[in-house]
Amino acid sequence: MSNTPLLEVRGLNAWYGESHVLHGVDLDIQEGETVTLLGRNGAGKTTTLRAIMGILRRREGVLRLRGQDLLGLPLHRVAQTGLGYVPEERGIFASLSVAENLMLPPKVAENGMSVEEIYQLFPNLHERRTSQGTKLSGGEQQMLAIARILRTGATVLLLDEPTEGLAPVIVQRIGDVLVALKKRGMTILLVEQNFRFARKVADRFYLMEDGRMVNSFPGHQLDANMDQLHEVLGV
Amino acid sequence: MTVETQYLSAQPKLRATTTVLGAIAIAALLVAPFVVYPIFLMSVLCFALFACAFNLLIGYVGLLSFGHATFFGGAAYFTAHAVKVWGWEPLSGILLGAAGAAALGFVVGFLAIRRQGIYFAMITLALGQMFAFICLQVPFTHGEDGIQGVPRGHLLGFIDLNEPLAMYYVTLAIFLFGFFAIWRIVNSPFGNILKAIRENERRAVSLGYRVDRYKLGAFVMSAALAGLAGGTKAIVFQFATLTDVQWQMSGEVILMTLLGGIGTLVGPAIGAGLVLALQNYLAASDFPVTVLIGIIFVVCVLLFRRGIAGEVMEFFKTRFNRST
Amino acid sequence: MSTIFGIPAPAFYGQLLIGLINGSFYALLSLGLAVIFGLLRVINFAHGAQYMLGAFAAYLLLGYAGIGYWPSLILAPLIVGVTAVVIERTMLSRLYNLDPLYGLLLTFGLALILEGVFRYWFGAAGQPYSPPSQLTGAVNLGFMFMPIYRGWVVVASLIICLSTWLLIEKTRLGAYLRAATENATLVQAFGVNVPRLLTLTYGLGAALAAVAGVLAAPIYQVSPLMGSNLIIIVFAVVVVGGMGSILGAIVTGYMLGVLEGLTKVFYPEASSIVIFVIMAIVLLIRPAGLFGREE
């Protein structure tokens, strides 16, 4: 592992209007690593992703990808640095067909998955490519939301609660996809409440509470930190 | 489109200042006809009341009506017809105008409140245009000529309104009555519910308020007061024409309110005075008035959204807050 | 002489054609309004003024540069589109985070300025503009004589409406547009330059109005006020159709134009208000509009 992280977050503060929601968040991700953000609802996980992506604009601190400053970039320039965003609400467009949804995000690099590869990985999407995007099942919509980012050649995936509200079989399937992506060298920042799902893919965990990072530990120490997890997550 | 007005009543020092300013304003209005042409002052008072009535909707319910000329100009026709053709006494003619405007307001409001926001504006504009077309075609409005030569007559049978000063003080009294009515409406429980609807319509619905009824009620009141202004104008100027029902007039009252300060009590009156003064000034020159009105619109929207009264209040508010 | 519902056939078809032509302009203008509103959430009150500007651009190009109808059909929308881009960059873009009513008021002000300036220069009277020589004369359709230029206007507006619809429904740019209408932030997070898309959309919408203006120049006279009364009718059309659907805007435009034409045949007194009456009825029965979704 190199010393300079791929994605470097230092003392990140962020505001929704007047309310201060992130308080000095620190976060590092190395190339090819899968990092999971754990925390209760409202702890600031989604906000952290939105602040990194630049959707949340009022931010202060340090935010770098491969040493490049992200804070000064307009929102539409951020994707070109290689960040790909899969939002919690999935963001499938109702007025676009499945295929159009898939083709929507512009390519940011040449080494993205081809449409054929994607349809191989997600045969359902191929079958339903002419349907309206929002006519897909929740699981299929999640697959589509991930698939359209894979096509762009993004190297860092910001993935917000991909398993939320899905059946165990689908959760399993998404887990397989993440493992496959890891093997391809993809760097993943995963927000997840379901740490039993997350432990299968995560190299490291960060634990958030009230807009702050309260702990971080490698994946194999998950069990050792179980007491604090239970306390912070309230499970 | 809101301007905070609540703090006025909350802070005794400001409240006292307001009372003093109000007394000065009324005193000034009482002596004004000895300094300025009464006819100009009367037109200012009519339009000021019209703008304040319009502001009742945009400022306190958040509804932008783009068809308020219907009520202003419609009432002018009704009053002019009643006084000239039926020989009614002027005050009852004016009241008939206001009642007619309220009836028109009920019809337009009933249709328009079925949609919100931007659609509401478009519907009121379209219905206003429809009313203008009707006014062009029906016989009693006399088409392009309008109703001319309306006698001012004797108010209540004994005040001769052909005396400019008498006409002026009657107009002033009607304006003050309308202004006071708006002030009462805004500060009543009804007004508070209107403001709650403006701030968050869904919450008002979930609190159990029949939002549509409140909106319609406010719309009818606003139309009636606009009609009061329009009927008075017909007596003052002794005619009623198509100009007062056309969309340009609806635009002008929006401008007066925007310039003076949406959601402030006195702003629309200030805006009316300014716009009329400008028009009066430009009438002698070659410069096209519509261009100026358009420019004021653009400048207000881009740089000056609180309007004159809103900016002044904001200035005192920040100064007051700093000193305490 | 044959009659239709007791009306002489030529008069009936004549009014039907006039209705179809008015409908063409309603469709073109409400289409532009719907495209702009969909993405920018701005009701473009200046749409009528931009239509007038298109007609005047053709008129002035002919008068001062000898540039004829056909090049003007491209040049006038280009000129108007560029001015619209400047307006969007310098003014409209400052209002996106505010109540949409401010956009309406701003464009209303702009419409007044444009109209006032042209009225100051050219007076309120209309200026004549001749149709191109290829399209003069009339053709006998068997049941009526149709002026060729009028037929061309109907065909041209159909082609323009259809191509705009295809652009929005079938192209990549259209997909960006539709997606950004739903969730502009997410589309921008995917790397699409949404601010530029907004500028482009406003320019395109205004250019559509200008095309309509050039088409209208030989039929109606070129006058500073030609847009303001039309735009209010188009607002009513938009309320009837609902702005949720591009196709809905087009269909409603033609339909109301034809209905208005037929009213002229059967009950001429009501022809100037029939569209407003239909709007009122639609509001009573189906407040969201014929093709609209409840918001």
Side-chain angles (χ1 to χ4, degrees), chain A residues 181-218:
Chain A
L181 294 180
K182 264 184 83 157
K183 285 205 182 110
R184 285 177 70 108
M186 185 78 95
T187 308
I188 301 172
L189 176 54
L190 176 70
V191 161
E192 196 46 82
Q193 300 218 52
N194 177 350
F195 61 79
R196 286 175 197 84
F197 168 80
R199 74 185 305 163
K200 286 195 293 190
V201 286
D203 301 311
R204 247 162 359 102
F205 286 97
Y206 278 91
L207 190 57
M208 279 194 94
E209 195 171 25
D210 298 331
R212 293 177 178 82
M213 288 299 178
V214 291
N215 197 0
S216 79
F217 46 85

Side-chain angles (χ1 to χ4, degrees), chain C residues 178-291:
Chain C
R178 276 175 287 144
T181 298
E182 280 185 56
N183 186 345
T185 309
L186 185 58
V187 172
Q188 199 177 356
F190 285 159
V192 177
N193 190 339
V194 170
R196 198 190 292 158
L197 194 65
L198 294 171
T199 309
L200 201 69
T201 303
Y202 189 68
L204 179 82
L208 270 174
V211 176
V214 181
L215 286 174
I219 296 186
Y220 315 113
Q221 293 197 312
V222 179
S223 99
L225 304 177
M226 65 192 288
S228 59
N229 288 323
L230 184 60
I231 195 64
I232 300 177
I233 299 178
V234 172
F235 280 173
V237 172
V238 158
V239 172
V240 170
M243 278 187 291
S245 136
I246 297 295
L247 214 52
I250 299 172
V251 171
T252 313
Y254 284 106
M255 196 175 70
L256 289 182
V258 169
L259 271 173
E260 190 187 37
L262 292 181
T263 314
K264 243 173 228 152
V265 179
F266 295 106
Y267 190 53
E269 293 80 7
S271 63
S272 56
I273 61 166
V274 63
I275 289 183
F276 302 121
V277 173
I278 293 172
M279 178 190 82
I281 295 170
V282 168
L283 281 171
L284 288 174
I285 299 170
R286 210 182 132 80
L290 297 179
F291 300 89

Side-chain angles (χ1 to χ4, degrees), chain B residues 254-314:
Chain B
I254 297 174
L255 179 72
M256 291 167 178
T257 310
L258 180 67
L259 177 64
I262 290 171
T264 62
L265 269 177
V266 293
I270 297 172
L274 263 177
V275 170
L276 287 180
L278 269 173
Q279 283 177 344
N280 217 28
Y281 179 74
L282 281 185
S285 83
D286 190 29
F287 194 83
V289 176
T290 32
V291 175
L292 180 83
I293 290 183
I295 291 172
I296 301 177
F297 256 110
V298 170
V299 171
C300 280
V301 169
L302 288 178
L303 308 170
F304 202 52
R305 281 184 287 273
R306 287 195 191 98
I308 293 167
E311 294 290 348
V312 169
M313 280 161 70
E314 187 67 20

Side-chain angles (χ1 to χ4, degrees), chain A residues 106-134:
Chain A
K107 284 196 170 182
V108 295
E110 282 312 310
N111 53 354
M113 278 192 185
S114 69
V115 177
E116 292 75 35
E117 282 178 277
I118 284 172
Y119 281 145
Q120 241 161 32
L121 194 60
F122 306 104
N124 288 15
L125 298 185
H126 183 252
E127 259 167 53
R128 308 206 51 189
R129 63 191 180 280
T130 56
S131 331
Q132 188 189 338
T134 44

Side-chain angles (χ1 to χ4, degrees), chain A residues 53 55 75-76 79 85 91 93-96 100 103-106 148-149, chain C residues 169 172 175-176 178-179 182-183 185-193 195:
Chain A
M53 199 62 209
I55 290 172
L75 178 55
H76 55 268
Y85 178 54
F93 296 98
S95 54
L96 272 61
E100 282 177 322
M103 304 302 286
L104 184 75
R148 69 180 167 192
I149 296 303
Chain C
E169 290 299 323
R172 193 167 175 76
Y176 287 154
R178 276 175 287 144
E182 280 185 56
N183 186 345
T185 309
L186 185 58
V187 172
Q188 199 177 356
F190 285 159
V192 177
N193 190 339

